[in-house]
Each structure stands twice: as structure tokens, then as C-alpha cells.
């Protein structure tokens, strides 16, 4: 489903720097929002020292967002590794209109974030839980 929502130019440009952690893009995460039902823009980013919990705290309880985070974890065979993870935050408490807008516009941002292999959809805080929800998904790709 296409909603006509497009990504702002800086979304793709910042992603290119972020994925290789080049100077000026050494962040832990980005949170994106749809502005005026037309454009996906960067709402905020977290410094490299930020945690996954900081990322989750920046997801609103009653509105949708997209998030991209660089998660560090230990693989099942004991290796330290990291993966870029795209999270669609579509909480049950958000308006139906926004949930449909974010669901229908997801392909636009996924195209701008070319190369992110792990996509997770979350609809409540329990699905954002690192140990029980996110980590098991990450270990499938490690």
C-alpha cells in the first residue's frame, strides 16, 4: 500500500554515514517520524553512549515511529557482534489513522535505509523488551 509519504533527503544521507560510523554520524540510534502526513524525517538521535533503554524511552506511548538502532550483543557461539535493526513502533494506543499511515509508508523508509537486514514490528512495550523479544531475533542473524 502506498501512502505517498516520502523520506526527507537527509534520511538516506545520514544513514550512509551511520552504518559505517563515519565522523559526525557516531550515534547509537535514530528515531524517525512522519511530518504533515507527507515526509519521513529524523526526529532525534542518540549519542553513541546511549543504551537500548534510552532508545525505547524515546518511543511515545500513544503515537507511531520508526527507529534504527545499532545493537551490540553476544552471539550464541560467544562472539561479540553488532547489527543494525529497523524497528517499526506501532502501539495499540495510537490512532488508527496513524497506525495505517506508518504501516503503509514503511516501504519508503526501508528503501532509504538500504542494507538493514533485521526488521522488527512492535505494538506494545513488551515487544520492545530486549531480553525476551529483540535478542532472540538478533541471534537468528548472528
Amino acid at each position: 500500500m502506498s501512502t505517498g509519504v516520502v523520506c526527507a533527503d537527509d534520511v538516506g544521507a545520514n544513514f550512509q554515514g551511520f552504518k559505517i560510523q563515519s565522523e559526525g554520524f557516531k550515534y547509537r540510534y535514530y528515531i524517525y517520524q512522519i511530518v504533515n502526513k507527507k515526509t519521513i524525517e529524523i526526529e532525534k538521535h542518540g549519542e553513541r553512549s546511549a543504551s537500548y533503554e534510552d532508545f525505547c524511552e524515546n518511543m511515545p506511548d500513544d503515537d507511531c515511529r520508526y527507529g534504527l538502532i545499532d545493537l551490540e550483543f553476544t552471539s550464541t557461539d560467544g562472539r561479540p557482534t553488532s547489527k543494525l535493526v529497523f524497528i517499526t513502533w506501532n502501539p495499540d494506543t495510537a490512532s488508527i489513522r496513524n497506525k495505517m499511515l506508518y504501516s503503509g509508508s514503511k516501504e519508503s523508509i526501508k528503501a532509504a535505509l538500504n542494507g538493514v537486514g533485521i526488521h522488527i514490528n512492535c505494538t506494545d512495550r513488551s515487544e520492545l523488551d530486549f531480553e525476551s523479544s529483540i535478542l532472540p531475533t538478533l541471534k537468528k542473524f548472528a
Side-chain angles (χ1 to χ4, degrees), residues 33-52:
Q33 67 178 343
I34 297 177
V35 177
N36 297 325
K37 299 178 187 162
K38 294 180 181 176
T39 310
I40 299 170
E41 297 180 1
I42 297 169
E43 179 182 27
K44 55 184 85 168
H45 58 264
E47 296 302 322
R48 193 72 197 159
S49 60
S51 66
Y52 178 72

Side-chain angles (χ1 to χ4, degrees), residues 15-60:
F15 172 68
Q16 296 305 319
F18 175 70
K19 73 179 178 180
I20 60 172
Q21 290 292 295
S22 63
E23 198 59 43
F25 298 98
K26 294 186 178 189
Y27 300 121
R28 174 68 57 200
Y29 63 83
Y30 282 97
I31 294 178
Y32 307 93
Q33 67 178 343
I34 297 177
V35 177
N36 297 325
K37 299 178 187 162
K38 294 180 181 176
T39 310
I40 299 170
E41 297 180 1
I42 297 169
E43 179 182 27
K44 55 184 85 168
H45 58 264
E47 296 302 322
R48 193 72 197 159
S49 60
S51 66
Y52 178 72
E53 288 74 25
D54 297 328
F55 171 79
C56 292
E57 286 173 11
N58 281 293
M59 293 296 189

Side-chain angles (χ1 to χ4, degrees), residues 44-114:
K44 55 184 85 168
H45 58 264
E47 296 302 322
R48 193 72 197 159
S49 60
S51 66
Y52 178 72
E53 288 74 25
D54 297 328
F55 171 79
C56 292
E57 286 173 11
N58 281 293
M59 293 296 189
D61 288 328
D62 58 354
D63 202 3
C64 306
R65 293 292 187 273
Y66 302 117
L68 177 68
I69 185 164
D70 184 3
L71 287 174
E72 296 170 347
F73 62 100
T74 303
S75 67
T76 52
D77 60 359
R79 293 177 294 113
T81 189
S82 69
K83 295 285 182 190
L84 292 179
V85 180
F86 177 76
I87 295 177
T88 302
W89 174 241
N90 221 343
D92 293 330
T93 54
S95 72
I96 291 174
R97 178 177 295 242
N98 274 355
K99 290 195 286 189
M100 301 229 0
L101 181 64
Y102 274 78
S103 293
S105 304
K106 183 167 63 170
E107 292 304 316
S108 178
I109 190 167
K110 284 171 59 176
L113 305 178
N114 189 19

